[in-house]
């Protein structure tokens, strides 16, 4: 799993995804019929189907960006004040390390007890080791971005931990599914490695407008509910790939969801029914693009998401790759109702 490890350790806060894109482009360029990077930075990879009259344009989307912080100002004593880029937990970042795009390392502190910050990043600061504004400005400027440091570790029970499984795990799954796609299926499949999902699913907007797909499928993480946390639900790391049934950002197409469930059952792919009651995915942007697109979602269940130490299952990841592969080769027939 060296590729996934490399992807998780790459620096790529929203709007600054080029390091991640470079890694992915090198992997996919020999397997694709067409590779395009658009003006926003989305990497759009096309694998053509066999030209069947029943063929559809399917857009899979997994995002390359990760959460982080942006510098708002630098204090006289050298502390770096920040705001959120995407949704971050102040308690998760507190007393831990971050890295700026230029490689500068900092430790996150808080103006007072972190419990009183009430998840406001403006209460945090980053200490890079300098004691004055003038010294700090030699290394960090207003507007610079910082991302988490979260090393890769193998765990018991066939699980792994690292930063940015959200959504480098989805990117990895798409790359491995593309490897399995020999073009013999009926559908033209677009594998979109999108940008700026964490700040509003923005990259999927332009890529969907470009492709005008018949079917859109987001591939993203969804939170684990098995251990107690701030959410409730049925998701469990290790119980299989998540077939998204509920998503507050998009209403999933009933036919496409049923086809995905059938695909899992027919191919003996371990799966679980995923309901996410907070947050969203690229499905929202694809759904509302053009004159509307039918959408579905594939989820990799992730424990402790949006932190330096997310946990996922290798077996779930294998099931995710299998589902993307099998679903992309399925024949879809829409019944129009007037």
């Amino acid at each position: 799993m060296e590729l996934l490890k490399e992807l998780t350790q790459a620096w790529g806060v929203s709007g600054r995804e080029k390091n991640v894109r470079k890694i992915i482009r090198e992997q996919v360029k020999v397997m694709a019929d067409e590779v395009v990077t658009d003006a926003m930075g989305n990497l759009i990879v096309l694998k053509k189907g066999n030209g069947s009259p029943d063929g559809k344009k399917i857009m899979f989307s997994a995002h390359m960006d990760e959460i982080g912080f942006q510098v708002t100002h630098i204090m006289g004593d050298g502390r770096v004040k920040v705001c959120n880029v995407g949704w971050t937990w102040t308690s998760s970042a507190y007393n831990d390390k971050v890295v700026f795009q230029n490689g500068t390392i900092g430790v996150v502190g808080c103006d007072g007890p972190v419990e009183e910050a009430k998840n406001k990043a403006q209460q945090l600061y980053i200490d890079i080791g300098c004691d004055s504004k003038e010294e700090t400005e030699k290394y960090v400027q207003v507007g610079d971005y910082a991302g988490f440091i979260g090393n890769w570790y193998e765990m018991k029970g066939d699980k792994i931990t690292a930063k940015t499984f959200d959504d480098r795990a989805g990117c990895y799954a798409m790359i491995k599914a593309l490897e399995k796609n020999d073009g013999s299926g009926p559908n033209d499949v677009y594998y979109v490695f999108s940008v700026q999902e964490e700040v509003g699913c923005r990259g999927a907007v332009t890529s969907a407008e470009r492709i005008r797909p018949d079917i859109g499928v987001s591939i993203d993480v969804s939170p684990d509910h098995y251990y107690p946390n701030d959410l409730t639900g049925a998701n469990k790391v290790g119980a299989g790939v998540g077939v998204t049934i509920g998503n507050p950002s998009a209403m999933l197409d009933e036919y496409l969801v049923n086809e995905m469930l059938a695909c899992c059952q027919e191919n003996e792919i371990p799966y679980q029914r995923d309901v996410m009651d907070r947050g969203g995915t690229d499905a929202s942007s694809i759904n509302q693009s053009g004159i509307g697109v039918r959408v579905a979602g594939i989820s990799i269940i992730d424990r402790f998401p949006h932190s330096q130490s997310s946990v996922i299952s290798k077996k779930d990841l294998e099931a995710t790759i299998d589902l993307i592969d099998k679903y992309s080769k399925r024949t879809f027939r829409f019944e129009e109702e007037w």
Side-chain angles (χ1 to χ4, degrees):
M1 306 197 77
E2 285 303 309
L3 174 59
L4 178 57
K5 181 178 180 180
E6 183 181 13
L7 287 169
T8 64
Q9 298 306 295
W11 191 97
V13 175
S14 297
R16 300 291 187 273
E17 300 92 349
K18 63 182 179 182
N19 293 337
V20 185
R21 184 169 56 247
K22 182 179 179 180
I23 295 169
I24 295 172
R25 177 182 278 275
E26 285 300 308
Q27 293 289 323
V28 303
K29 66 182 182 181
V30 297
M31 299 183 282
D33 293 310
E34 182 180 305
V35 179
V36 173
T37 301
D38 69 11
M40 285 194 70
N42 298 299
L43 185 64
I44 302 171
V45 181
L46 169 62
K47 185 68 176 181
K48 295 178 180 178
N50 62 18
S52 167
D54 290 323
K56 300 288 189 291
K57 286 197 293 185
I58 301 178
M59 172 181 166
F60 291 104
S61 183
H63 66 90
M64 297 183 288
D65 61 310
E66 62 184 287
I67 58 171
F69 300 105
Q70 186 173 32
V71 179
T72 56
H73 61 289
I74 299 171
M75 306 294 288
D77 59 9
R79 288 179 298 139
V80 178
K81 298 293 289 183
V82 296
C83 64
N84 277 332
V85 179
W87 176 265
T88 62
W89 297 101
T90 55
S91 56
S92 174
Y94 178 60
N95 280 3
D96 212 331
K97 295 173 288 297
V98 293
V99 57
F100 288 86
Q101 190 171 8
N102 64 5
T104 298
I105 302 294
V107 176
V108 179
C110 185
D111 295 333
V114 70
E115 296 81 7
E116 295 178 7
K118 297 182 179 179
N119 218 43
K120 295 179 181 178
Q122 291 81 358
Q123 296 296 109
L124 299 177
Y125 62 83
I126 299 173
D127 173 7
I128 69 166
C130 298
D131 297 327
S132 69
K133 179 178 181 180
E134 293 74 22
E135 186 68 16
T136 293
E137 287 179 335
K138 295 177 183 179
Y139 308 99
V140 173
Q141 298 289 325
V142 169
D144 286 353
Y145 292 87
F148 286 155
I149 296 174
N151 294 331
W152 170 286
Y153 295 102
E154 300 277 343
M155 300 177 67
K156 308 302 182 187
D158 214 29
K159 299 185 179 64
I160 44 180
T161 180
K163 74 174 183 71
T164 63
F165 283 134
D166 183 8
D167 186 30
R168 309 288 166 71
C171 293
Y172 172 82
M174 286 208 309
I175 294 169
K176 303 308 284 186
L178 173 59
E179 285 183 0
K180 294 173 174 284
N181 189 346
D182 61 2
S184 62
N187 305 305
D188 289 343
V189 185
Y190 293 81
Y191 303 87
V192 176
F193 301 88
S194 67
V195 297
Q196 301 179 40
E197 190 271 352
E198 296 291 5
V199 291
C201 302
R202 298 174 187 174
V205 175
T206 56
S207 51
E209 287 289 341
R210 182 189 192 101
I211 295 166
R212 294 297 176 98
D214 301 300
I215 296 169
V217 183
S218 66
I219 302 166
D220 210 332
V221 303
S222 191
D224 172 90
H225 303 120
Y226 184 65
Y227 285 172
N229 57 70
D230 65 318
L231 301 170
T232 58
N235 296 342
K236 180 183 178 182
V237 171
V241 59
V243 175
T244 309
I245 310 295
N247 182 328
S249 69
M251 303 308 294
L252 292 309
D253 184 85
E254 184 178 11
Y255 169 70
L256 293 183
V257 170
N258 288 338
E259 285 294 302
M260 192 172 289
L261 293 170
C263 185
C264 289
Q265 294 159 5
E266 292 165 10
N267 293 284
E268 299 183 341
I269 300 171
Y271 75 95
Q272 52 192 305
R273 298 167 66 96
D274 165 40
V275 175
M276 183 171 66
D277 66 354
R278 191 169 73 190
T281 69
D282 279 344
S284 59
S285 295
I286 303 169
N287 186 216
Q288 298 178 75
S289 66
I291 57 173
V293 178
R294 297 172 173 88
V295 293
I298 295 174
S299 301
I300 301 164
I301 308 305
D302 184 3
R303 189 173 292 156
F304 317 124
H306 281 223
S307 78
Q308 308 89 323
S309 305
S310 291
V311 174
I312 65 171
S313 162
K314 292 181 183 178
K315 292 179 180 178
D316 289 352
L317 200 52
E318 291 170 3
T320 302
I321 295 165
D322 203 13
L323 178 55
I324 298 169
D325 172 50
K326 298 296 193 301
Y327 199 69
S328 71
K329 296 169 180 172
R330 203 168 180 86
T331 298
F332 298 91
R333 295 185 176 89
F334 302 138
E335 294 182 6
E336 296 184 358
E337 297 179 359
W338 301 96

